DNA sequence: CGATTGGTTGAGCCCATTCAACGAATGTGG
DNA sequence: CCACATTCGTTGAATGGGCTCAACCAATCG
């Protein structure tokens, strides 16, 4: 992890409304900036944190892309999420004194580091901030409920379709094309996240490509027929 | 839903240290009691809330047993959790104005109803309460990460074993036997939660019974060999 | 340049599903 | 109180979706 500290710039940040300060006043954002956050870069492949590390801070993805991985005793790993700019990392560790999973940068990235101790104090002063944070935590719980539905009830083709449409939606919220984007993770990462094997991911992408639903060139994806993608697997074959 | 309001009794509650007030002073618990919570009974089979209901309150299970179910547009349902006494319901709805899943009582139960608006105000006054609540939310996120691992990587026999051992652990925390207990949910509920079919659940229970790991009589379970149960599925056959 | 990592595709297999029949327990209405 | 319907659970036989094992190719890297 290469720690290049940069100036704190929540106030001037282009994704401010997608991130922790969403809905805060300029004054409140200034407080957050001054006392809580600073920026730090993370190189592709580096660990932002590892399971067992002491938990002290939350992280907001400033730019780049991360995955979080839960590693079982026996070595099996489960990708529990992918984080894009504006999304928070470390929420799952608040209840503990230690990190409970690994966070790994999938491309050169930067995060805003937020001392959790100071953050709680600030939340105490600013009901607004605390309210937003409760919502962030709750949204993460609801997101994982959806993922449980995916893992518990869906066929592999539907899992992949839901995954791609979710990525598309998140890109669009960030004013990037939802129809054409680059996958930052490997087929194995996707498979782990979706509870299927990497070979199955590869086969499904090939099939959707052959059927004209997607354009797939390695990690470059173009969604050609959203309707078709949205209906994959859930009812008909 | 049969709303019989009872006296609020956090202060005298036997499971206080398992519940929301864990770690609070008597004074703080008194505040919670007075201004925030009241008790309400829910009959077996009744809905505590349904998806789409306005979200106003959190609930703590006072006694009894609940399940939460996420219902997809097409009618498929996914059981996202089972809640025993001391555990919170409604956390996944805070980010929204509406409930995002159903909560159903699996036996005659009672819950403490906590106005979330008032709870947030109280959290603002009591940093301690807010801190604990952040931890509760985070713990729920971490719990769901583990469930993702279960759904994403484990064989059916291991899923069931992990489920039973988790139930055992939770019973023990409540000073009930972890070796002998009664399942409050159907085979179908278990299967939905674990991402397998009810017939598979039934077959697995029968097999573990035949092999002397469990004693199964309908919903009455006795764990005979924890070691064996803990090692099922994960490595050897 | 060989070594490594990531991706694609094929063939055969197996675990869990599907479909089905049946029994037990519970509840309901006449 | 009995006849009947419904819910819940068990077990069997056949099927199939995704896995395993394997070969191969492309890109990247030291």
């Amino acid at each position: 992890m290469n720690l290049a500290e940069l100036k704190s710039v929540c106030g001037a940040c282009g994704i401010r409304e997608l991130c922790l300060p969403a809905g805060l006043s300029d004054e409140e954002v200034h407080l957050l900036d001054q006392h809580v956050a600073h920026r730090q870069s993370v190189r592709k492949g580096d660990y932002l944190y590892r399971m067992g590390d002491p938990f002290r801070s939350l992280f907001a993805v400033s730019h780049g892309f991360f995955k979080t991985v839960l590693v079982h005793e026996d070595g099996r790993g489960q990708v529990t999420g992918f984080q894009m700019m504006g999304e928070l990392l470390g929420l799952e560790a608040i209840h503990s004194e230690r990190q409970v999973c690994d966070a790994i940068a999938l491309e050169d990235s930067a995060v805003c580091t937020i001392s959790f101790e100071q953050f709680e104090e600030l939340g105490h002063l600013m009901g607004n901030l605390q309210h937003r944070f409760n919502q962030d935590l709750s949204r993460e719980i609801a997101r994982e409920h959806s993922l449980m539905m995916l893992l518990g009830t869906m066929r592999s083709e539907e899992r992949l379709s839901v995954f791609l449409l979710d990525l598309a939606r998140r890109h669009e919220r960030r004013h990037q094309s939802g129809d054409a984007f680059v996958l930052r993770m490997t087929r194995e990462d996707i498979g782990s996240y979706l509870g299927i094997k990497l070979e199955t991911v590869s086969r499904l992408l090939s099939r959707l490509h052959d059927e004209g639903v997607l354009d797939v060139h390695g990690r470059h994806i173009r969604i050609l027929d959203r309707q078709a993608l949205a209906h994959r697997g859930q009812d008909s074959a």
Side-chain angles (χ1 to χ4, degrees), chain A:
Chain A
M1 198 178 345
N2 209 342
L3 309 183
E5 294 203 14
L6 306 173
K7 245 169 76 174
S8 180
V9 286
C10 270
C13 184
I15 56 165
R16 170 176 153 183
E17 284 307 315
L18 290 171
C19 194
L20 197 57
L24 299 188
S25 69
D26 288 347
E27 209 172 312
E28 289 170 326
V29 170
H30 186 66
L31 264 175
L32 195 65
D33 256 355
Q34 291 297 102
H35 296 103
V36 174
H38 67 92
R39 217 174 259 189
Q40 155 184 339
S41 67
V42 187
R43 290 245 194 79
K44 178 175 177 174
D46 281 350
Y47 284 70
L48 177 60
Y49 52 79
R50 287 171 190 268
M51 185 172 66
D53 286 354
F55 168 75
R56 290 200 204 89
S57 306
L58 298 178
F59 303 94
V61 180
S62 169
H63 71 261
F65 205 93
F66 288 81
K67 66 173 175 181
T68 47
V69 184
L70 192 59
V71 182
H72 200 69
E73 309 148 341
D74 60 13
R76 282 178 297 182
Q78 169 75 28
V79 173
T80 55
F82 299 106
Q83 294 79 26
M84 305 174 60
M85 61 179 184
E87 295 173 335
L88 296 175
L89 279 158
L91 299 180
E92 70 287 338
I94 292 173
H95 72 99
S96 166
E97 293 190 332
R98 312 228 152 236
Q99 294 294 347
V100 293
C101 64
D102 297 341
I104 301 158
L106 295 182
E107 59 180 348
D108 287 348
S109 303
V111 297
C112 299
T113 300
I114 305 153
S115 155
F116 187 65
E117 195 178 329
Q118 289 178 50
F119 179 75
E120 278 199 316
E121 284 172 25
L122 199 60
H124 193 53
L125 298 174
M126 290 161 49
N128 203 10
L129 178 63
Q130 183 61 60
H131 179 69
R132 292 280 169 176
F133 187 58
N134 283 337
Q135 290 187 334
D136 284 335
L137 287 163
S138 174
R139 186 172 296 110
E140 177 65 13
I141 292 172
R143 183 189 77 81
E144 290 180 7
H145 278 192
S146 299
L147 207 42
M148 287 172 57
M149 158 84 65
L150 179 145
L151 291 167
T153 75
M154 293 184 188
R155 304 213 159 283
S156 63
E157 194 180 49
E158 190 179 7
R159 297 186 194 195
L160 185 65
S161 303
V162 167
F163 171 71
L164 291 173
L165 290 169
D166 180 60
L167 274 187
R169 192 181 47 74
R170 286 156 76 190
H171 277 111
E172 281 165 359
R173 279 223 191 135
R174 286 157 184 78
H175 309 294
Q176 298 164 13
S177 169
D179 289 326
F181 51 85
V182 178
L183 298 173
R184 302 299 172 179
M185 71 296 282
T186 67
R187 303 293 196 252
E188 187 169 18
D189 288 333
I190 298 172
S192 172
Y193 184 63
L194 298 178
I196 55 185
K197 292 289 149 183
L198 68 94
E199 295 95 328
T200 303
V201 174
S202 182
R203 278 185 246 272
L204 289 171
L205 286 172
S206 298
R207 190 158 89 211
L208 290 170
H209 179 90
D210 292 346
E211 292 175 353
V213 179
L214 299 177
D215 216 9
V216 183
H217 289 99
R219 298 193 177 182
H220 292 261
I221 301 285
R222 179 178 293 276
I223 298 177
L224 301 175
D225 186 348
R226 281 213 193 200
Q227 289 287 16
L229 197 58
H231 293 310
R232 282 284 142 168
Q234 68 181 52
D235 36 22
S236 63

